[in-house]
Amino acid sequence: MTLLEAHDYLDLLIDKFDSAYFTTTEKNVFLELAITEFINTNYSGFGINERTRSTLKGLLNSDTLGGVTSTTAIAGYIEVTEDNIYTLHVDVAYNGQPPVTAKAVKVREYFDNRTDPFHQPSENTPTWSYASTSGDSYIVLNPVNNITYINVTYIGRPDLADAFASTSSDSVFKETHQQEIIQIATRKMSANIESSNYEVQQEEAQKAG
């Protein structure tokens, strides 16, 4: 289903509610909101439910620094891309050894462990957490030295062009999921109208009083 077809489908559903006209820009805003809700809802069962994993598989992405067989040390952090909404796992290699999966920890625990000789992670049991500076977000590793490879696997938020591509094979969602997203958008659009009508009624009631 293309984005234009999605707009037409929205028009059809909204017409059934005798709702107001929405511009293309407004439709896109509600579709974006619907995509976010769709992802969040399905992510809640991602680790335990095969159906939700299948639903979101088109959103799996990865970012890599260094190389699996490289022995050249790199920085112990990797920038979080804007489309990364859920980090699934972080793999890291030290001194060209086989990668291991780092454990996610809270920010405070990450920094506490860097100075705690009794709880410091090792190259066999590394940890990771988030950090930010100058408005940019990063995934930081511990231990931080001698890293030769970092790979971050995450669920990426698609733009509308990818969610409703010109051909079904290019879309990150199956058509049944696209229809579900449109249904969510329709619900949000209708709720928005009802909310606006309620506010108008309240204002009129106050004026009449």
Side-chain angles (χ1 to χ4, degrees):
M1 182 186 302
T2 66
L3 184 57
L4 181 59
E5 290 171 334
H7 287 168
D8 291 341
Y9 193 8
L10 273 176
D11 287 336
L12 179 63
L13 294 176
I14 290 297
D15 284 345
K16 289 184 178 180
F17 295 102
D18 294 325
S19 298
Y21 172 80
F22 287 87
T23 66
T24 296
T25 299
E26 291 170 334
K27 293 174 190 174
N28 287 344
V29 169
F30 282 103
L31 284 172
E32 294 275 12
L33 292 171
I35 289 172
T36 298
E37 179 175 322
F38 179 82
I39 294 173
N40 290 340
T41 300
N42 282 279
Y43 177 74
S44 62
F46 188 84
I48 58 176
N49 189 308
E50 177 59 33
R51 185 189 67 80
T52 56
R53 286 196 292 272
S54 176
T55 298
L56 299 180
K57 67 180 181 180
L59 306 183
L60 294 180
N61 293 280
S62 64
D63 290 323
T64 301
L65 283 180
V68 176
T69 59
S70 174
T71 57
T72 302
I74 59 176
Y77 59 86
I78 183 171
E79 186 172 0
V80 178
T81 55
E82 290 186 2
D83 65 322
N84 181 344
I85 53 176
Y86 291 114
T87 297
L88 299 179
H89 61 85
V90 178
D91 297 320
V92 55
Y94 293 87
N95 297 307
Q97 297 300 309
V100 294
T101 299
K103 176 185 176 183
V105 296
K106 294 180 179 179
V107 174
R108 181 168 183 174
E109 181 180 351
Y110 171 86
F111 286 104
D112 285 348
N113 289 348
R114 292 196 61 179
T115 57
D116 184 348
F118 299 104
H119 297 92
Q120 283 193 8
S122 69
E123 293 181 357
N124 293 321
T125 58
T127 62
W128 72 269
S129 189
Y130 291 109
S132 62
T133 179
S134 301
D136 296 322
S137 296
Y138 297 87
I139 286 173
V140 290
L141 280 300
N142 190 15
V144 69
N145 296 319
N146 304 318
I147 294 175
T148 52
Y149 170 79
I150 303 173
N151 179 265
V152 178
T153 301
Y154 65 93
I155 293 177
R157 194 190 184 295
D159 57 25
L160 289 178
D162 290 328
F164 297 95
S166 57
T167 60
S168 58
S169 60
D170 292 332
S171 176
V172 296
F173 294 120
K174 294 180 180 178
E175 185 165 349
T176 53
H177 301 145
Q178 292 174 326
Q179 292 172 353
E180 187 174 342
I181 290 169
I182 292 171
Q183 294 281 356
I184 295 171
T186 302
R187 170 171 52 80
K188 290 182 177 294
M189 294 162 79
S190 299
N192 179 265
I193 294 170
E194 292 172 1
S195 175
S196 298
N197 289 341
Y198 176 77
E199 290 176 0
V200 170
Q201 290 171 4
Q202 289 293 93
E203 290 177 1
E204 292 297 326
Q206 291 174 0
K207 292 176 181 178

